[in-house]
Amino acid sequence: MTRVDRIVDAVQRRTPDRPALVAEDGRTTTYGELEQRIAATAESLARRGLVAGQRALLVGENSVDMIVMLFAAMRVGAWAVPLNARMSIGEVDAITLHCAPRLIYFGAASPEAAAHAARHAAGHVDVEGLAGLAAWRNDGVEPEPEAQHGDPVAAMIYTSGSTGQPKGVMLTHRNLMFVAETSLAQRVLVADDRIHHVLPISHSFGLASALLCGLHAGATLYPVARFSAEGLARAIVEDGITVFQGVPAMYARLIEWAQQTGRGLTPNRLRLCYIGGSVIDAPRKAAAEALLGLRLHHGYGLTETSPAVSRTVGEPPPGDTTAGRPIPGIEVTLRDKGGALVGEGATGEGQTGEGQTGEIWVRGPNVMKGYFRDPAATRAAVDAEGWLHTGDLGQFGPRGDLRIVGRLKELIIRGGFNVYPAEVENAIAAFPDVAQCAVVGRAVDGDEEVVAYIEPQAGRSVDVAALQAALRERLAPYKLPARIVCMERLPASTTGKLLKAQIKALAASGSDA
């Protein structure tokens, strides 16, 4: 199997003049030119002493330089550890301490990266064509022994999931290439595609599903440092992009932009619009489809699965919010609290327990090597038989398609009844002027109550009393929110993913701000 760092080289051998990357200033880098830059940078890093198994921390935002450094670090056998420059000082420093990098690279053209670089006394990289800054650390850290044999780690993505401290997810060359090969086989992305690449490469969705899968297909990517609805609209209407992959919040912002400007986005050249990162609600999905003029595809995955588990690609675009069928070559099952299969029997495609809810377990070449320097957490997540216990709750539909209900730790038990936040969120999202919402549980007198946090569409407000009346028509009494709190913006990550842990903390504190 091709190593991740050889993806660009494999394409340039066939089509060296094909455009690989188009920067925000319009400069184009062909596959041949990109491979030359990767090779030259890798040679420079090797001469400076970066070796297999050491970590290369890459602090920046989507750019050609960051992509070159990512591939160059992997080319010498180091672990590429991309971080979003907009992370706080505390977050960056905690990860730096944990992963003990030999090299920290700070991407150019990012004020936040420059501020982090100043704290680390970073200097020029001394690599032709790279404008960022670098800090070399000589703290005696030896390469990790597991990087020297078997299936070596290619990249490490830090994630906190829904709760807890960030953990370094070790993704191997086999992990990432399996997902890239599966994407190619399912024609998720194709050589003629022009991809608006705004998902950060510091996130597994942006790194694997967009960047690696796009380059492996020989497509042309347009790296974008920061999302803006206006920028996306311009790319759709003026630049002729054919693919957009985003999280639900990005689609929500695009809908807001259209409502505020009164402008449409059709006709366009879009072939594929894809939602990942979290589940989109049906009303927002319908609004986005009407705006874009095509059905949206969905998927499910997590960093620990590199990140793909299921996709709707390969079948007609769904009319609902299913996460699609498990990708070929992996096993997906639903389990109860004791680890027993939900429903009768199981198949490799995960068609088991139709209509019943269970924790999603995944096994296959996409499952991570483990959490860096945390064997206890690794054993808790991946059992002795190789099953990843995702902590997510799902159901299988009649076609074997997976539906995400919520997270096991987010399940609300009200008066002895199970309340799945996604069901309440979907009901709230159907109400006018709701941009996004999050439903969490709050402990009260030996029980839990349902609390809903709502972000209205820009320039709008939500009539809470009318919403409560509408919910009484749609939900059983035990599912109704005891409190509904409106916020100008819900807490979200740099990718736009809602931070349920922070929202739950707000509910626990009784804060309305």
Side-chain angles (χ1 to χ4, degrees), residues 102 120 169 444:
R102 176 72 176 88
H120 288 269
V169 178
V444 288

Side-chain angles (χ1 to χ4, degrees), residues 145-380:
E146 62 262 37
Q148 306 301 320
H149 62 272
D151 181 22
V153 173
M156 185 157 67
I157 303 294
Y158 273 84
T159 177
S160 59
S162 297
T163 61
Q165 294 299 312
K167 298 186 289 289
V169 178
M170 298 182 290
L171 300 177
T172 68
H173 286 270
R174 180 174 181 249
N175 290 154
L176 294 168
M177 285 307 303
F178 171 78
V179 171
E181 291 284 1
T182 303
S183 174
L184 189 65
Q186 292 186 298
R187 295 184 61 79
V188 178
L189 302 173
V190 298
D192 291 335
D193 277 330
R194 300 168 61 147
I195 303 168
H196 188 72
H197 183 210
V198 70
L199 291 166
I201 62 173
S202 54
H203 188 279
S204 58
F205 192 7
L207 172 67
S209 300
L211 179 66
L212 299 183
C213 291
L215 292 176
H216 189 49
T220 300
L221 286 86
Y222 292 69
V224 178
R226 302 191 179 196
F227 173 81
S228 80
E230 183 179 2
L232 174 58
R234 185 169 56 250
I236 291 172
V237 176
E238 299 176 10
D239 298 339
I241 66 165
T242 65
V243 172
F244 173 62
Q245 298 156 294
V247 298
M250 294 177 179
Y251 288 91
R253 299 289 173 264
L254 188 63
I255 293 167
E256 286 182 351
W257 172 88
Q259 291 174 337
Q260 291 173 342
T261 63
R263 296 170 59 185
L265 295 177
T266 54
N268 58 54
R269 294 181 56 193
L270 287 171
R271 178 188 70 82
L272 172 68
C273 283
Y274 188 93
I275 300 172
S278 57
V279 179
I280 193 170
D281 58 84
R284 221 61 56 215
K285 175 180 183 291
E289 290 175 339
L291 177 62
L292 297 168
L294 80 169
R295 282 283 182 86
L296 272 60
H297 275 284
H298 326 129
Y300 163 70
L302 54 163
T303 304
E304 290 85 346
T305 58
S306 311
V309 172
S310 64
R311 303 184 180 113
T312 61
V313 177
E315 55 190 83
D320 54 16
T321 56
T322 173
R325 296 173 183 267
I327 63 174
I330 70 169
E331 297 172 272
V332 180
T333 59
L334 303 179
R335 307 286 180 131
D336 63 19
K337 291 181 180 180
L341 286 168
V342 171
E344 297 181 2
T347 71
E349 294 183 350
Q351 296 177 0
T352 177
E354 180 185 332
Q356 299 184 50
T357 300
E359 183 185 4
I360 301 168
W361 286 21
V362 181
R363 182 167 65 179
N366 57 336
V367 173
M368 67 171 180
K369 189 162 192 171
Y371 296 116
F372 182 54
R373 294 181 173 173
D374 199 341
T378 299
R379 288 192 298 271

